[in-house]
Amino acid sequence: MEQTLVIVKPDAVARGLIGEVIRRFEAEGLVVCGLKMVWLAQKEAEGFYQVHRHRPFFESLTHFMASGPCVMMVLEGEKAIGCVRTLMGATDPAEADEGTLRRSFATSIEKNVVHGSDSAASAAFEIPYFFNRLEIIPVAERGETSLA
Ligand code: CMP
């Protein structure tokens, strides 16, 4: 089992797409094991995207991410990291496959609806950036209520 961090970005939250994003992930068998809404401060957005700090789009990206509330999720499943990335589609919606979240809903390469960890190393940084241990409830710890 793998865990990955997903962010429903401010553009998608503002457009009422939280439910549709979660629905698409759950429909593929991914399990929500952590969930919260957060309005990031500029510094928090900068810390999260620190790997991109030298990129020309860094300032614009972090302003966008701090422009309104996001929904943060930890999703769990077999090969969850790759599965989420397939369902999201390419970063640039013009290059995203038909049927992906970004192809369906993104309006630009920046306002691209959703973020997902791009590797196990990224997930290991990104999940604890937003969630503490008590806020993550893995499938294996759910006992009788587990669907798995
Ligand atoms: P995300 O998957 O969250 O990872 C980094 C984000 O930076 C990306 O989605 C986009 O929102 C944004 N991004 C990546 N490349 C560009 C670009 N060339 N111009 C503007 N924003 C970008």
Side-chain angles (χ1 to χ4, degrees):
M1 277 296 154
E2 208 168 54
Q3 291 181 352
T4 187
L5 183 88
V6 169
I7 303 177
V8 185
K9 295 187 179 186
D11 57 330
V13 172
R15 290 163 63 202
L17 293 171
I18 299 168
E20 176 63 9
V21 172
I22 295 175
R23 189 195 67 74
R24 289 201 189 187
F25 290 131
E26 288 192 323
E28 290 300 315
L30 291 157
V31 175
V32 178
C33 56
L35 184 70
K36 65 170 87 171
M37 180 176 273
V38 179
W39 192 330
L40 293 174
Q42 178 67 24
K43 286 277 174 226
E44 293 162 345
E46 289 171 4
F48 180 76
Y49 278 117
Q50 62 178 262
V51 294
H52 296 305
R53 66 191 176 282
H54 300 305
R55 303 284 194 96
F57 56 81
F58 181 69
E59 199 183 331
S60 176
L61 168 66
T62 54
H63 270 105
F64 162 58
M65 292 300 289
S67 68
C70 293
V71 170
M72 315 304 187
M73 279 182 270
V74 180
L75 296 185
E76 185 177 298
E78 216 170 292
K79 301 195 173 138
I81 294 169
C83 185
V84 162
R85 292 186 69 76
T86 301
L87 293 170
M88 290 193 305
T91 306
D92 184 347
E95 291 169 12
D97 289 340
E98 198 68 52
T100 61
L101 281 161
R102 285 165 168 167
R103 177 66 171 260
S104 297
F105 301 117
T107 52
S108 71
I109 194 168
E110 180 176 273
K111 294 180 175 57
N112 64 356
V113 171
V114 69
H115 166 87
S117 306
D118 67 4
S119 64
S122 296
F125 167 75
E126 293 178 357
I127 292 170
Y129 194 85
F130 293 120
F131 290 87
N132 68 40
R133 172 68 191 86
L134 292 174
E135 295 170 323
I136 299 171
I137 302 153
V139 173
E141 292 175 16
R142 294 189 193 186
E144 290 171 6
T145 62
S146 172
L147 294 174

